[in-house]
């Protein structure tokens, strides 16, 4: 019998919006001056603030991070039938925009050091598909990927990089901010991100021409004429000046949010000492994450049997062992919200026929979905890294408003699952 705890009166969230008051003032200003559309001072200001923070030349405020990824895919010139290399273990919005343009995602497996795209697998992928010209790379949970290695491979093959920094705003690698490494880069102000507008996103670039195209496409692609004149397909993707007011009020608090998230990460790390787990890792020498979500990975030796079907999961409890499902269910019982790791795209029903490349080459048919541990590579480690992290990992409650006391109880709840 596991230990019992008193359930939290108020739900402890995975990551919810943290407001400060200025957001409301800027929204009110939009209302009172009647700039209630997709033009106005809040929009100009958030674009300026994003450039200042990330260090890029141009920012275009859009309705969502997904919209910015879509326009980035268009900028990269993806045409129907073109294969595009994509991060595999990520939110679906990294990948779906490739499909909007008729492109065909080919998934690149994950590495264990930062849980991001494996540059070794990327190089293998270029050997298999040398014609590929575009790579979409995400920084998971606010941890920068192996940017130098990925850039080196992309440069060698002349590929355009789209950086999905939706989760990593404020994170840096060798002193440079994420969102400024690729050709066309995306950030998000979705409600659970490090700062939010309730919704919204941005395309970041150092190319004036690209920024101008995105400005035009996002406002229905009007030509310069006295009437609505159209030479290409446009979208209604511009950010509202009201939403921009929220983002504008949040920007000054970005560093404060990161500091809070870092405290949360470090408290978990300390609290789990002695348990057979690790926290989501990062390159401590070269990178500074934004710690958006704290995650943990259970050692293989401490995993009880857990089997995931398409929509259901079962596990068999064993003394001294646990699994993500047991921990998530136990936290939920006490009103604390966690989440499984993003289920890798190559395991998703919609993408099951797409290419998937591991560090040893073509992974299709060679990795063993749903069998705990899966197939092993030549180095003795699981060949399908994304599947392995999905099987053993989970996201922990990482809300900025969680108190130290609440977090200590969550740590105790998790510790009890290992008994
Ligand atoms: C949130 C997110 C997006 C999409 O951003 P939206 O603003 O929700 O459209 C894209 N990629 C990743 C990795 C994300 O986490």
């Amino acid at each position: 019998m596991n230990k019992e705890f008193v359930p939290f009166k108020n739900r402890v969230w995975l990551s919810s919006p943290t407001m400060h008051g200025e957001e409301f003032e800027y929204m009110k200003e939009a209302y009172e001056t009647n700039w209630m559309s997709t033009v106005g001072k809040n929009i100009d200001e958030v674009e300026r603030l994003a450039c200042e923070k990330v260090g890029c030349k141009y920012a275009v405020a859009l309705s969502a991070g997904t919209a910015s990824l879509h326009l980035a895919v268009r900028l990269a010139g993806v045409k129907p039938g073109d294969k595009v290399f994509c991060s595999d273990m990520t939110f679906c919005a990294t990948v779906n925009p490739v499909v909007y343009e008729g492109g065909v995602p080919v998934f690149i497996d994950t590495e264990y050091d930062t849980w991001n795209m494996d540059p070794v697998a990327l190089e293998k992928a270029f050997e298999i598909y040398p014609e590929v010209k575009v790579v979409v790379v995400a920084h998971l949970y606010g941890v920068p990927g192996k940017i130098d290695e990925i850039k080196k491979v992309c440069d060698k093959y002349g590929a355009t990089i789209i950086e999905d920094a939706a989760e990593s705003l404020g994170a840096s690698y060798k002193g440079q901010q994420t969102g400024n490494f690729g050709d066309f880069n995306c950030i998000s102000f979705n409600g659970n991100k490090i700062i939010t507008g309730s919704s919204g996103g941005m395309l970041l670039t150092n190319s004036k021409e690209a920024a101008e195209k995105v400005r035009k496409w996002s406002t229905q692609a009007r030509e310069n004429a006295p009437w609505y004149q159209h030479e290409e397909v446009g979208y209604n993707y511009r950010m509202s000046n009201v939403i921009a007011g929220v983002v504008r009020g949040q920007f000054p608090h970005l560093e404060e949010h990161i500091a809070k998230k870092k405290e949360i990460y470090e408290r978990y790390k300390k609290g789990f000492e002695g348990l057979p787990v690790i926290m989501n890792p990062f390159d401590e020498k070269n990178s500074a994450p934004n710690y958006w979500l704290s995650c943990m990975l259970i050692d293989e030796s401490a995993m009880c049997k857990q089997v995931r079907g398409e929509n259901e999961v079962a596990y068999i409890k064993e003394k001294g062992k646990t699994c993500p499902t047991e921990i998530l269910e136990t936290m939920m019982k006490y009103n604390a919200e966690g989440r499984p790791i993003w289920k890798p795209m190559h395991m998703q029903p919609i993408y099951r026929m797409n290419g998937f490349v591991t560090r040893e080459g073509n992974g299709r048919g060679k990795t063993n979905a749903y069998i705990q541990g899966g197939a092993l590579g030549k180095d003795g480690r699981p060949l399908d890294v994304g599947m392995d992290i999905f099987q053993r990992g989970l996201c922990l409650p990482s809300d900025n408003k969680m108190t130290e006391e609440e977090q200590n109880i969550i740590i105790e709840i998790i510790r009890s699952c290992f008994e």
Side-chain angles (χ1 to χ4, degrees):
M1 198 49 199
N2 284 344
K3 257 194 226 121
E4 288 296 323
F5 299 85
V6 181
F8 296 109
K9 255 215 328 268
N10 299 312
R11 164 80 47 99
V12 180
W13 299 100
L14 181 76
S15 182
S16 72
T18 303
M19 293 293 131
H20 303 274
E22 292 106 301
E23 299 87 351
F24 189 62
E25 294 307 313
Y26 291 126
M27 282 168 73
K28 211 163 77 185
E29 187 181 301
Y31 181 90
E32 283 167 353
T33 56
N34 204 35
W35 288 98
M36 292 297 285
S37 177
T38 52
V39 183
K41 193 164 155 202
N42 288 334
I43 296 176
D44 299 343
E45 260 314 281
V46 293
E47 289 181 345
R48 189 187 65 75
L49 287 164
C51 287
E52 187 181 271
K53 176 67 203 172
V54 175
C56 60
K57 288 202 183 120
Y58 306 97
V60 186
L62 300 170
S63 56
T66 310
S68 70
L69 282 154
H70 183 191
L71 298 185
V73 168
R74 264 198 79 173
L75 282 172
V78 173
K79 295 280 172 295
D82 288 356
K83 289 190 173 66
V84 174
F85 293 150
C86 299
S87 286
D88 176 56
M89 195 175 79
T90 182
F91 183 47
C92 63
T94 305
V95 173
N96 287 339
V98 169
V99 180
Y100 301 167
E101 289 302 305
V104 181
V106 170
F107 302 107
I108 310 300
D109 199 15
T110 307
E111 37 83 3
Y112 284 110
D113 300 336
T114 75
W115 296 8
N116 286 302
M117 182 185 280
D118 182 353
V120 176
L122 180 64
E123 173 101 54
K124 288 270 185 234
F126 275 112
E127 288 165 11
I128 302 170
Y129 308 98
E131 72 278 16
V132 169
K133 285 279 163 264
V134 181
V135 178
V136 187
V137 55
H139 304 289
L140 212 71
Y141 302 131
V143 173
K146 295 188 172 179
I147 293 170
D148 278 354
E149 287 100 317
I150 288 170
K151 272 189 87 118
K152 215 167 117 192
V153 176
C154 289
D155 287 348
K156 181 172 159 190
Y157 292 93
T160 298
I161 299 178
I162 296 174
E163 205 187 339
D164 178 355
E167 299 180 2
S168 68
L169 179 60
S172 62
Y173 179 81
K174 294 189 175 170
Q176 193 178 331
Q177 293 283 309
T178 60
N180 200 15
F181 289 98
D183 298 278
F184 313 121
N185 311 312
C186 305
I187 55 175
S188 164
F189 303 110
N190 170 316
N192 70 8
K193 298 286 162 41
I194 191 96
I195 57 170
T196 182
S198 74
S199 65
M202 255 183 212
L203 184 125
L204 309 177
T205 180
N206 290 309
S207 157
K208 186 164 191 241
E209 193 194 344
E212 280 170 358
K213 277 187 189 165
V214 168
R215 251 172 240 285
K216 180 181 169 195
W217 292 341
S218 66
T219 50
Q220 306 289 17
R222 283 180 69 180
E223 297 301 326
N224 191 11
W227 44 81
Y228 279 74
Q229 177 83 3
H230 301 289
E231 291 174 10
E232 47 186 349
V233 171
Y235 306 87
N236 180 7
Y237 276 176
R238 195 72 164 129
M239 183 184 277
S240 138
N241 193 49
V242 179
I243 297 290
V246 183
V247 178
R248 187 179 173 192
Q250 288 262 290
F251 246 111
H253 298 280
L254 174 59
E255 289 308 317
E256 176 190 325
H257 286 193
I258 294 173
K260 213 81 223 180
K261 295 270 190 186
K262 185 174 179 184
E263 276 173 28
I264 291 169
Y265 179 94
E266 285 174 348
R267 240 182 260 137
Y268 276 128
K269 193 166 179 160
K270 187 144 194 315
F272 295 151
E273 270 172 16
L275 286 185
V277 303
I278 59 162
M279 296 293 292
N280 50 329
F282 61 94
D283 177 348
E284 295 185 28
K285 196 163 133 255
N286 294 312
S287 72
N290 72 2
Y291 302 91
W292 174 53
L293 292 188
S294 286
C295 305
M296 67 185 270
L297 188 70
I298 302 166
D299 287 358
E300 185 63 51
S301 64
M303 277 285 293
C304 66
K305 196 168 176 62
Q306 170 191 253
V307 180
R308 283 175 166 148
E310 286 307 342
N311 301 297
E312 290 166 311
V313 58
Y315 68 93
I316 302 168
K317 176 65 185 169
E318 251 183 274
K319 202 172 154 40
K321 295 187 176 188
T322 188
C323 62
T325 306
E326 186 190 18
I327 295 174
L328 290 168
E329 285 179 357
T330 310
M331 288 197 302
M332 199 39 94
K333 181 172 142 195
Y334 297 114
N335 209 13
E337 183 189 36
R339 191 157 70 186
I341 298 298
W342 298 127
K343 180 172 176 173
M345 290 300 122
H346 80 277
M347 295 170 72
Q348 301 285 358
I350 37 168
Y351 292 125
R352 210 161 273 159
M353 301 307 282
N354 293 54
F356 170 57
V357 183
T358 70
R359 65 188 183 277
E360 290 184 9
N362 181 6
R364 283 297 181 202
K366 299 205 176 81
T367 67
N368 224 343
Y370 306 120
I371 295 176
Q372 194 155 332
L376 298 182
K378 292 190 194 96
D379 55 8
R381 307 184 86 185
L383 186 54
D384 186 334
V385 178
M387 186 182 77
D388 181 44
I389 296 174
F390 174 60
Q391 175 75 3
R392 298 191 286 123
L394 68 145
C395 305
L396 301 164
S398 306
D399 195 54
N400 271 337
K401 293 169 297 315
M402 173 172 66
T403 65
E404 192 172 339
E405 197 188 356
E406 287 169 331
Q407 193 180 349
N408 288 336
I409 295 168
I410 288 166
I411 290 168
E412 285 311 309
I413 290 171
I414 293 170
R415 294 193 79 95
S416 78
C417 293
F418 285 87
E419 284 167 4

